[in-house]
Amino acid sequence: MEYNAGIEAKVLGKPSGDFFHAVLDEVGVASDEALMVGDDVECDVVAAMDIGLQACLIRSGKYRSGDETRAPQARCEASLADLVDALLETR
């Protein structure tokens, strides 16, 4: 397709930093106002933190015991409900 179109394709998707920036631009939110929440330590949490986002690892889905040691700066919660409860407590 690139050859026929005469242009180079730009592929967006996790864990590309361009993906996260595109989402932030689309919703009009600055990176320091956003929190990436995910269950994949590499593609969600570490990728988001690599571009300066805050991140929270949720212990469900793709999460495996010990994943939090791969992103020690990230918040880690048992569930999305626990994260929401914790965030509401700090308001």
Side-chain angles (χ1 to χ4, degrees):
M1 291 184 118
E2 289 176 319
Y3 176 78
N4 287 333
I7 60 171
E8 184 178 338
K10 186 168 188 175
V11 179
L12 285 180
K14 294 186 304 181
S16 166
D18 290 339
F19 170 79
F20 292 105
H21 285 298
V23 172
L24 292 170
D25 290 345
E26 180 69 25
V27 297
V29 173
S31 59
D32 63 344
E33 298 174 326
L35 173 67
M36 173 60 187
V37 178
D39 62 357
D40 185 312
V41 71
E42 292 299 323
C43 291
D44 295 338
V45 176
V46 172
M49 290 174 27
D50 281 348
I51 64 154
L53 290 171
Q54 298 176 67
C56 180
L57 178 63
I58 300 295
R59 293 188 300 263
S60 66
K62 290 184 176 181
Y63 170 84
R64 295 296 173 256
S65 181
D67 278 353
E68 61 277 359
T69 63
R70 295 166 54 197
Q73 315 88 312
R75 179 181 204 129
C76 187
E77 297 288 346
S79 68
L80 182 57
D82 287 346
L83 173 61
V84 171
D85 288 344
L87 292 173
L88 290 174
E89 287 176 8
T90 61
R91 291 181 75 184

